Amino acid sequence: MAAAAAGTTTTLNHRPKPTPRLHCNRPITIRCSVSNLPKTPHQSPPSDLPLRKIPGDYGLPLLGQIRDRFDYFYNQGRDDFLKSRIQKHGSTVFRVNMPPGRPVAKDPRVITLLDAASFPVLFDLSKVDKRDLFTGTFMPSTAFTGGYRVLSYLDPSEPNHAKLKRFLFHLLSSRRDHVVPSFQSCYADLFASLESDLASKGKADFNSANEQTAFDFLGRALLGKSPQETALGTDGPGIINKWVVFQLAPILTVGLPKVAEDVVLHSFRLPPSLVKSDYERLYRYFYECGSSTYFEEAEREGISKDEACHNVVFATCFNSWGGMKIFFPNVLKWIGRAGAGLHARLAEEVRSAVRANGGRLSMRAIESMELTKSVVYESLRIDPPVPLQYGRAKRDFVLKSHDAAFEVKEGELLFGYQPFATKDPRVFDRAEEFVADRFVGEEGGRLLKHVLWSNGPEDQHPTVDNKQCAGKDFVVLISRLLVAELFLRYDSFEIETSNSVLGSAITVTSLKRASF
């Protein structure tokens, strides 16, 4: 989602040796409680902040929405759109219209929260309601999800929220032993494919290979069967991309001429009927491969098999696969740009940890890789896969930024742009830079409360009572696995980067084989 530029070329010369055989000898624990990371009290804004009226306005009806939408998508772009208004109002909290606007959105008027002090109110469920706000000021038709409001659109105050989240926790926990071996098997094939393309073409497209591999991995890990072994075949990623784009079209830009794109994508919703048959193929794969165990668990929670399956499809394809599609290229982008020095440090750490654990990439080995963990957290900080967060005020309250306090009224919609909050220079030194070892050690652990990608602080974990991503720890684990697998095989790599609709496009131009 952040803009990408050309990647840094790096080279490390070593004599190639065979890659060690990898195993997983410990089960994974998917945690759903508060972590043991060291904590310090949150640095709250001063209590004596001046009370200020929220600056900004929404302009004339409809015309103000169109003005803001064109600035947001075309005239300025998202980051400059928000930065220009911070400068105009002298405040990180202000009023503005957030796309898409009417008629797609019932009410596009928001109060923006663009700093680390104000943003966390979006996680305070005593103050905000998260009902139907997963995609922002509009909600896609439930026809995309079998007629159900899936977990992502539910507020924790709704009875179905706890039921569905417990069910997803059960699914993750019941399949924990399959995650690491499935990942290793699938991504071994991905790296072999990249090497083959490099040999024959001189370059390799990481994104397309990653999309197919990620879906195959999720099928094996969570359902126990690769989609390629079923009638779905290799069609899954293409179907998911189409299904997701149809839901998110009102807040995407794909490079069409301004007026045409605004009419086609941002003024009307794309009809779910155009993806219905494709989605049914996806659903059948999950329904037919879903184990009786997890369907039984759903029924114990009072959830029908049909609703449970639609939620698993959404959590796996929209949330998990969508996250891997966006975030894995971002990880490679930032590590690639960091250069040879970081590559050498990561390779040494990963290989030393594996040697110390009997040549196996065990959970103990992964937990000992502090730098590997840090580069994943830093990638999540600087380039979060889900940058937008929303919440509606449940009651009147006073909102605090670093510099002022503001009165928020019940029913007002709050919008937070996460990359501004997680690159707040009042919290992070060199906030705009990728600092690989930022989260190493005790001091680095304390900073994790300001990493917010999962709809909550990184030093906390999802529960049935909050809106933090049910698969938060799963995503962090597989991201570390990607880095570990990469540097077990290679001393260094070279990439080129460019923009895609949903993040960075990565072209691999060189892979330097490992020397141990």
Side-chain angles (χ1 to χ4, degrees):
M1 296 208 179
T8 302
T9 298
T10 58
T11 304
L12 293 176
N13 295 317
H14 298 280
R15 291 176 299 172
K17 293 183 182 179
T19 301
R21 189 176 180 183
L22 306 179
H23 303 278
C24 174
N25 65 349
R26 293 183 64 194
I28 300 165
T29 299
I30 303 295
R31 297 171 294 177
C32 307
S33 59
V34 179
S35 76
N36 295 321
L37 286 171
K39 299 183 179 68
T40 57
H42 180 72
Q43 295 177 342
S44 300
S47 58
D48 58 349
L49 289 170
L51 188 63
R52 183 182 175 190
K53 179 182 177 182
I54 300 174
D57 62 70
Y58 304 112
L60 295 173
L62 189 60
L63 292 178
Q65 298 171 29
I66 294 174
R67 174 203 65 194
D68 287 344
R69 187 167 73 215
F70 267 72
D71 282 348
Y72 181 92
F73 284 122
Y74 313 114
N75 300 333
Q76 295 176 295
R78 180 170 56 198
D79 283 26
D80 286 344
F81 170 82
L82 296 171
K83 287 177 182 177
S84 67
R85 283 151 180 80
I86 291 175
Q87 294 170 352
K88 176 182 178 180
H89 301 303
S91 175
T92 52
V93 176
F94 54 84
R95 298 183 184 276
V96 76
N97 296 292
M98 186 53 52
R102 295 179 187 274
V104 177
K106 292 181 180 178
D107 188 355
R109 298 173 299 174
V110 304
I111 299 169
T112 64
L113 316 175
L114 301 179
D115 61 76
S118 61
F119 191 96
V121 77
L122 293 167
F123 312 139
D124 187 345
L125 298 177
S126 70
K127 295 178 180 176
V128 300
D129 189 292
K130 308 286 276 188
R131 191 182 318 250
D132 297 337
L133 296 176
F134 178 65
T135 46
T137 60
F138 81 106
M139 178 184 171
S141 169
T142 57
F144 287 110
T145 51
Y148 298 100
R149 290 172 62 237
V150 293
L151 178 62
S152 293
Y153 292 97
L154 301 180
D155 183 77
S157 64
E158 300 179 75
N160 237 27
H161 180 275
K163 294 178 181 180
L164 288 168
K165 203 163 186 180
R166 274 195 300 267
F167 165 62
L168 291 181
F169 285 158
H170 172 80
L171 173 60
L172 287 168
S173 179
S174 67
R175 298 294 300 176
R176 63 185 180 272
D177 295 341
H178 302 275
V179 174
V180 173
S182 295
F183 190 94
Q184 291 179 319
S185 174
C186 291
Y187 277 81
D189 292 342
L190 175 138
F191 289 122
S193 173
L194 295 180
E195 289 184 16
S196 176
D197 285 348
L198 282 170
S200 61
K201 305 173 186 176
K203 60 182 180 180
D205 177 4
F206 176 80
N207 291 58
S208 60
N210 177 59
E211 288 183 14
Q212 190 67 61
T213 301
F215 189 54
D216 192 45
F217 155 67
L218 291 168
R220 293 188 194 187
L222 300 180
L223 301 179
K225 192 166 190 177
S226 167
Q228 297 186 46
E229 299 171 358
T230 72
L232 188 60
T234 60
D235 295 342
I239 291 173
I240 301 170
N241 277 321
K242 182 178 176 183
W243 175 66
V244 169
V245 166
F246 267 59
Q247 292 175 74
L248 298 183
I251 54 175
L252 296 179
T253 179
V254 296
L256 297 174
K258 293 181 184 179
V259 175
E261 183 172 275
D262 204 60
V263 170
V264 173
L265 297 185
H266 306 142
S267 300
F268 305 97
R269 301 184 188 217
L270 298 178
S273 59
L274 295 181
V275 295
K276 182 179 180 181
S277 59
D278 284 334
Y279 179 73
E280 286 176 351
R281 289 185 63 200
L282 201 61
Y283 174 88
R284 280 198 300 273
Y285 163 64
F286 280 85
Y287 193 89
E288 291 169 2
C289 294
S291 71
S292 59
T293 304
Y294 86 63
F295 280 136
E296 288 171 3
E297 180 65 21
E299 291 179 328
R300 280 193 290 271
E301 291 285 355
I303 306 166
S304 70
K305 287 185 179 181
D306 187 51
E307 184 175 9
C309 191
H310 284 293
N311 272 273
V312 173
V313 173
F314 193 90
T316 304
C317 299
F318 197 114
N319 295 338
S320 299
W321 182 86
M324 295 173 75
K325 169 189 171 71
I326 296 170
F327 186 59
F328 277 17
N330 286 347
V331 172
L332 291 191
K333 175 182 73 176
W334 291 111
I335 294 176
R337 288 180 177 179
L342 176 61
H343 294 189
R345 291 170 63 198
L346 285 167
E348 175 59 27
E349 178 183 76
V350 169
R351 296 168 197 178
S352 295
V354 168
R355 283 195 296 266
N357 283 271
R360 293 186 287 269
L361 185 58
S362 64
M363 286 302 299
R364 178 178 297 173
I366 291 170
E367 285 301 316
S368 70
M369 300 175 191
E370 277 203 286
L371 182 60
T372 299
K373 289 188 282 186
S374 182
V375 297
V376 169
Y377 290 139
E378 180 70 342
S379 299
L380 288 165
R381 179 194 74 85
I382 202 168
D383 217 351
V386 182
L388 313 180
Q389 295 284 350
Y390 290 84
R392 191 174 298 280
K394 287 182 175 179
R395 55 180 174 83
D396 295 357
F397 65 90
V398 174
L399 170 73
K400 296 178 181 179
S401 69
H402 289 301
D403 302 312
F406 307 89
E407 290 183 339
V408 173
K409 299 298 182 182
E410 179 182 352
E412 291 192 296
L413 187 59
L414 306 175
F415 156 74
Y417 184 51
Q418 189 182 143
F420 283 15
T422 56
K423 289 187 281 190
D424 188 332
R426 298 199 189 187
V427 173
F428 295 103
D429 293 330
R430 299 159 60 194
E432 296 289 336
E433 298 179 35
F434 179 83
V435 180
D437 56 2
R438 189 186 297 276
F439 298 101
V440 170
E442 187 174 339
E443 288 300 315
R446 292 193 182 101
L447 283 173
L448 285 175
K449 65 184 177 184
H450 300 293
V451 178
L452 311 171
W453 70 275
S454 63
N455 205 2
E458 187 61 32
D459 67 342
Q460 296 180 16
H461 294 280
T463 72
V464 296
D465 298 317
N466 65 27
K467 281 300 291 178
Q468 197 158 24
C469 173
K472 166 185 169 289
D473 294 327
F474 173 80
V475 171
V476 172
L477 169 65
I478 61 176
S479 300
R480 294 176 189 173
L481 282 170
L482 176 69
V483 177
E485 291 286 351
L486 176 65
F487 285 103
L488 276 170
R489 286 172 170 78
Y490 308 107
D491 289 323
S492 186
F493 64 96
E494 299 170 5
I495 58 171
E496 296 173 353
T497 64
S498 59
N499 295 331
S500 69
V501 175
L502 292 174
S504 303
I506 302 295
T507 301
V508 180
T509 57
S510 177
L511 292 168
K512 309 296 191 304
R513 262 289 175 184
S515 57
F516 93 122

